[in-house]
Amino acid sequence: MNDHYDVIIVGSGAGGGTLAHRLAPSGKRILILERGDWLPREIENWDAAAVFVDNRYVSTDRWYDEHGEPFQPQIHYFVGGATKFYGAALYRLRERDFGELKHHDGISPAWPIDYRDLEPYYTQAEELYQVHGARGEDPTEPPASAPYPHPPVSHEPRIQKLFDDLTQVGLHPFHSPSGILLDEAEPASSPCIRCATCDGFPCLVHAKSDAEVVAVRPAMQHDNLDLVRNAVVRRLETDESGRTVTSVVADVEGVEQRFTSDIVVISAGAANSAKLLLASANDRHPNGLANGSDQVGRNYVFHNSRAFLAVSTEPNDTRFQKTLGLNDYYFGDADFDYPMGNLQMVGKSSAPMYRGEKPIQTKLAPTFALGDVAAHAIDFWLSVEDLPDPDNRVTLDRDGNVVLSYTPNNQEPMDQLYRRVKKHLSHLGMDRHHLIPRDVYMKNDIPVAGCAHQAGTVRFGSEPETSVLDTDCKAHEVDNLYVVDTSFFPSIGAVNPALTAMANALRVGDHLLTRLG
């Protein structure tokens, strides 16, 4: 292993893993420091009780809320990061999401770059992550310079009926953009088998387009890239001027080690990237590394989300359910002049997932057996933008633990969106009395425990006084420090953030290749 690297990347998820893939062919010496290990391939990968009830793969981290109460965040530390468990819904932000948008509760700020700046990288990210989709169905979709690289994932019969019914009432459902390694034309050789254990599960057969499978493993074919697993990065050290990171200090399987490089890139997730910068305070950076603006850790966002299931008289034998989306209300409608958000399917629920879920047990049991509920349920997810608030933030307590202070905002658009969806579903034969909230994704004591879409704590901008990073995602105050996870987001929009993180990592990768020469 090399003693000194050109680039060290902290984290191997949507940002870090994608960046490593972009840099690896250059011949530059690259080191990935990953907090976790390879996710074990075992039958429990596809066991709903193990994944959702026993929390087999969830970190044992304890974070604290603003009142000092501990909670277990739904966070995973493995090669590939959060993408090992994501639903692989790979949406572009809408073009208007990059500008200032007036919401019910305030303003979603403009980004310092335009959609046009990111569009070529969205196209490259869709190619790398083998996204399946269909242009022209979603009325809010932004301009694209190329078609999706793969055809849309077909709807199974029950979802196709829902698609047709929604269309008949004047809505515009579309095939959800999906990153899976599926070949429906040649099913005998397709890695993906369209199983029901995808969204929220790790893929036992490596057929999900996660960062490990499509980015890190291919990057490791290059001899110039090293991966060190089980490496918990504790702090970054700088020279006396405070302008250059000189070493990355990590505990590697319990032993402290120092790593050096010309450039350091953080991609540890919005909460942990902020934690690392705050923990790296020194004489030149007394409030945390690169935190002269006092913006590190602030403006934490993670989407206002609501999961629910609709119980229909018709059975739903769908296995791969996450194929339909709806954005008709993304920017509002004639009766509500503010953005609402996105509706999409989530993975098909099963009886073991309901164990301990009070809404389902209370509202349906003992009227229905849980197996009957699963057999007749269609599962939905609503996502609405929460607005950046400087007081929604990550700080550290005296022991260096994450303290996540969060007060919900922009709640009315969720109620408006849910009301419209509920109305449509009741007209389509789904009993309005049996739209049941689900807490499988947010089953801990406070909503912020469900942090899959966390973003915004190290935002980029053109003004050092109000941002941490410049438009290349380099720290304003540190010449060789970059951040490429969703921390850089000034706002989060209302669609899944993963593809934007991937596209931006490719954009920053091109910048670094030019800088490295």
Side-chain angles (χ1 to χ4, degrees):
M1 186 175 293
N2 295 294
D3 295 326
H4 183 82
Y5 292 86
D6 293 298
V7 182
I8 290 176
I9 303 170
V10 179
S12 62
T18 306
L19 177 64
H21 187 275
R22 176 51 55 97
L23 298 181
S26 69
K28 300 298 181 180
R29 292 169 294 166
I30 302 159
L31 172 65
I32 301 173
L33 294 174
E34 168 52 49
R35 177 171 181 161
D37 206 334
W38 301 111
L39 193 145
R41 300 182 71 186
E42 54 189 8
I43 197 63
E44 287 85 358
N45 290 175
W46 283 351
D47 185 328
V51 172
F52 289 99
V53 179
D54 300 337
N55 276 348
R56 183 176 182 86
Y57 303 107
V58 175
S59 165
T60 58
D61 277 9
R62 284 291 182 271
W63 294 356
Y64 295 82
D65 67 14
E66 62 267 37
H67 306 295
E69 293 297 320
F71 65 95
Q72 183 181 15
Q74 295 290 296
I75 197 164
H76 306 89
Y77 298 133
F78 296 100
V79 179
T83 67
K84 293 301 296 179
F85 291 83
Y86 75 164
L90 295 177
Y91 286 82
R92 300 181 180 208
L93 284 174
R94 313 294 92 176
E95 190 169 19
R96 287 172 59 188
D97 285 328
F98 287 81
E100 184 176 283
L101 269 178
K102 186 177 181 181
H103 285 257
H104 184 271
D105 277 12
I107 300 296
S108 178
W111 288 41
I113 62 174
D114 294 326
Y115 172 77
R116 290 170 296 177
D117 298 318
L118 205 55
E119 195 286 325
Y121 296 104
Y122 271 132
T123 298
Q124 293 173 32
E126 287 169 346
E127 182 71 33
L128 175 60
Y129 281 84
Q130 303 190 36
V131 181
H132 297 247
R135 306 278 189 221
E137 294 181 335
D138 177 358
T140 70
E141 75 175 356
S145 57
Y148 280 107
H150 299 278
V153 180
S154 65
H155 300 309
E156 294 178 44
R158 186 65 185 89
I159 306 306
Q160 183 64 54
K161 185 177 188 305
L162 175 62
F163 185 99
D164 295 340
D165 289 345
L166 291 171
T167 302
Q168 285 187 345
V169 299
L171 297 174
H172 303 85
F174 56 89
H175 289 81
S176 179
S178 184
I180 54 176
L181 308 183
L182 175 69
D183 186 349
E184 293 192 81
E186 296 290 342
S189 58
S190 173
C192 175
I193 57 174
R194 290 188 65 124
C195 71
T197 48
C198 185
D199 189 9
F201 294 83
C203 182
L204 179 58
V205 295
H206 282 181
K208 186 191 297 189
S209 295
D210 64 49
E212 176 205 339
V213 171
V214 305
V216 176
R217 286 187 180 273
M220 291 181 66
Q221 300 302 309
H222 298 269
D223 292 339
N224 53 295
L225 184 142
D226 293 324
L227 169 66
V228 175
R229 309 184 307 281
N230 302 306
V232 182
V233 176
R234 298 298 186 189
R235 65 187 182 278
L236 307 179
E237 297 177 336
T238 71
D239 62 8
E240 290 186 2
S241 73
R243 296 290 308 182
T244 303
V245 175
T246 54
S247 61
V248 178
V249 182
D251 290 341
V252 181
E253 298 185 348
V255 179
E256 183 177 287
Q257 295 188 35
R258 278 176 166 77
F259 302 90
T260 64
S261 65
D262 296 336
I263 291 171
V264 174
V265 183
I266 302 175
S267 188
N272 280 316
S273 288
K275 175 185 178 181
L276 177 56
L277 293 175
L278 294 171
S280 299
N282 59 31
D283 290 344
R284 293 288 184 176
H285 300 270
N287 297 319
L289 189 60
N291 195 27
S293 63
D294 191 34
Q295 293 299 305
V296 171
R298 295 189 183 273
N299 302 296
Y300 179 94
V301 288
F302 77 117
H303 278 147
N304 294 327
S305 299
R306 181 175 296 175
F308 68 96
L309 55 84
V311 181
S312 173
T313 56
E314 298 180 59
N316 178 20
D317 58 1
T318 305
R319 294 185 63 79
F320 190 89
Q321 183 173 257
K322 199 176 177 71
T323 59
L324 183 150
L326 188 77
N327 277 337
D328 287 68
Y329 304 111
Y330 195 94
F331 292 113
D333 65 9
D335 298 318
F336 189 73
D337 194 27
Y338 298 100
M340 283 181 263
N342 166 263
L343 175 145
Q344 59 184 272
M345 316 303 297
V346 291
K348 182 70 188 77
S349 59
S350 60
M353 294 183 187
Y354 304 153
R355 194 184 307 165
E357 289 203 30
K358 293 180 182 179
I360 294 172
Q361 298 279 8
T362 302
K363 292 193 176 188
L364 289 180
T367 308
F368 297 94
L370 295 184
D372 292 334
V373 175
H376 289 261
I378 300 179
D379 307 79
F380 295 92
W381 178 271
L382 302 181
S383 182
V384 169
E385 182 166 359
D386 59 332
L387 302 178
D389 179 341
D391 292 328
N392 286 342
R393 63 186 299 195
V394 173
T395 55
L396 303 184
D397 65 15
R398 65 180 63 188
D399 296 318
N401 298 306
V402 167
V403 177
L404 184 52
S405 304
Y406 186 86
T407 300
N409 61 48
N410 208 35
Q411 298 287 290
E412 180 63 21
M414 173 60 78
D415 293 336
Q416 294 284 341
L417 180 59
Y418 182 67
R419 195 174 307 155
R420 285 157 177 77
V421 171
K422 182 177 180 179
K423 175 182 175 182
H424 286 300
L425 293 181
S426 66
H427 290 163
L428 299 180
M430 298 180 195
D431 191 336
R432 71 177 64 203
H433 301 296
H434 291 157
L435 298 184
I436 310 301
R438 294 214 55 211
D439 58 12
V440 67
Y441 291 97
M442 299 181 180
K443 59 188 174 185
N444 297 73
D445 292 337
I446 61 173
V448 290
C451 54
H453 290 185
Q454 57 177 294
T457 57
V458 191
R459 62 181 179 177
F460 76 160
S462 54
E463 301 297 330
E465 296 79 16
T466 57
S467 59
V468 182
L469 310 172
D470 67 16
T471 54
D472 292 320
C473 288
K474 184 189 77 66
H476 289 297
E477 300 174 8
V478 184
D479 294 331
N480 67 336
L481 177 63
Y482 292 77
V483 180
V484 297
D485 55 27
T486 52
S487 303
F488 85 94
F489 284 32
S491 65
I492 195 172
V495 291
N496 310 52
L499 187 72
T500 300
M502 295 160 180
N504 182 67
L506 296 174
R507 183 183 72 94
V508 174
D510 279 357
H511 162 78
L512 291 177
L513 290 172
T514 299
R515 174 172 174 170
L516 291 166

